[in-house]
Amino acid sequence: MTAQVIDGKAVAAELRRGIAARVAALPFRPGLRVVRVGEDPASGVYVRNKDRAALEAGFDSATIHLPEATGEAELLEVVARLNADPVVDGILVQLPLPRHIDADRVIAAVSPGKDVDGFHPLNAGLLAAGRPGLVPCTPKGVMHLLRAAGCSLAGARALVLGRSGIVGRPMAQLLLAADCTVTVAHSRTRDLAAECRRAEILVAAVGRAGMVRGDWVAEGATVIDVGINRLPDGRLTGDVDFAGVSRHAAAITPVPGGVGPMTIACLLENTLEAAVARRGA
Ligand code: NAP
């Protein structure tokens, strides 16, 4: 079997076109503010890409870049100001934050209705309770990819590899909400290969290059690779051995060009949803 490659760039571009059309029809421009603290180079690239995508889709977007030495109290004041600003619909505090700032406290300070990253404990709780709320962008993007690939979800055995608060856990909740039978695996899971082989849908979010090998994957499975790992030669690669797994899977996402582009598209989707919910358009 040679797997169908799920083109995340194309799915994301279509989603962004749809969002831009909906924004153009609104009587206001949804406002997104990204807060960046310090000079983490990867964050710089992400923040620029988010800003560009938001502007292209017709959003009122801006980045607030604060110096590395910014104190937690000062950052909390910035968040409070954005919470109160009527033109701001979405607030994203770019992680990681400098070590002297408690990221959990900052995330909890963002107004839940403007929490377009979906990381606020209230939104995490709503997702766990199966109720509507703002959902983390990367797992939300994975759900779009599964649906775009025509994957049948109800009753499917899904395995999520990784249990982080930003990917693995919300991913498992979304698959459960879509009626999959969900297993969550992690670093303490016994016989990971056997667990993976049982899955009809396998989502890898571990951060270990090429860890999921061809013989870990059932014939005909759909494999989504969330991992982003930088190789010593500078290239990016996923958590899945793409060539080996492609021989067994029915469909697979590449890295780059799979989940990555969906994350920004879903940030725009969340900002639009937050704006419409808050302003009642
Ligand atoms: P994380 O917080 O480091 O979590 C990694 C998870 O993998 C943990 O649950 C850990 O288990 C598990 N794990 C680690 N080593 C393992 C092993 N040998 N066997 C089984 N499980 C293992 O990472 P994350 O933030 O979820 O990110 C995961 C990957 O996705 C990274 O490569 C990251 O760069 C990428 N990512 C991509 C996007 C995107 O837009 N495409 C967005 C976010 C993240 P324990 O809980 O037991 O420690």
Side-chain angles (χ1 to χ4, degrees), residues 21-244:
R22 285 169 62 198
V23 168
L26 289 174
F28 59 86
R29 292 174 77 202
L32 173 65
R33 297 293 178 271
V34 176
V35 183
R36 178 183 172 208
V37 184
E39 299 303 328
D40 179 71
S43 293
V45 176
Y46 291 143
V47 165
R48 271 194 300 281
N49 288 344
K50 285 168 186 172
D51 213 23
R52 198 179 51 217
L55 290 170
E56 268 173 29
F59 288 71
D60 157 24
S61 172
T63 298
I64 298 163
H65 190 179
L66 302 170
E68 178 86 21
T70 303
E72 187 176 303
E74 205 182 326
L75 178 56
L76 290 171
E77 266 173 40
V78 171
V79 169
R81 186 163 49 74
L82 295 173
N83 283 342
D85 189 336
V87 304
V88 175
D89 299 291
I91 303 166
L92 184 149
V93 180
Q94 182 65 44
L95 302 176
L97 288 169
R99 280 166 187 271
H100 62 274
I101 296 177
D102 181 340
D104 286 343
R105 213 161 12 221
V106 174
I107 289 166
V110 174
S111 166
K114 296 188 178 188
D115 166 42
V116 286
D117 246 345
F119 294 166
H120 190 285
L122 183 84
N123 283 316
L126 289 171
L127 182 60
R131 288 167 50 192
L134 288 163
V135 172
C137 301
T138 300
K140 186 172 183 170
V142 171
M143 295 308 292
H144 278 297
L145 288 177
L146 289 171
R147 293 197 168 100
C151 186
S152 97
L153 296 168
R157 278 192 305 277
L159 181 114
V160 180
L161 188 44
R163 57 174 165 179
S164 73
I166 62 169
V167 190
R169 281 169 202 265
M171 187 72 253
Q173 299 291 355
L174 287 173
L175 289 164
L176 191 58
D179 297 325
C180 293
T181 302
V182 182
T183 303
V184 182
H186 46 77
S187 66
R188 308 294 295 273
T189 298
R190 279 198 309 273
D191 202 351
L192 198 52
E195 292 293 344
C196 288
R197 265 183 228 115
R198 273 193 280 277
E200 295 163 289
I201 297 169
L202 197 162
V203 181
V206 185
R208 290 182 189 266
M211 184 176 138
V212 177
R213 303 192 324 233
D215 61 350
W216 287 26
V217 171
E219 293 300 317
T222 297
V223 179
I224 306 287
D225 191 352
V226 180
I228 302 177
N229 309 288
R230 198 168 281 283
L231 294 172
D233 65 8
R235 281 181 303 135
L236 291 181
T237 190
D239 290 344
V240 173
D241 165 15
F242 185 84

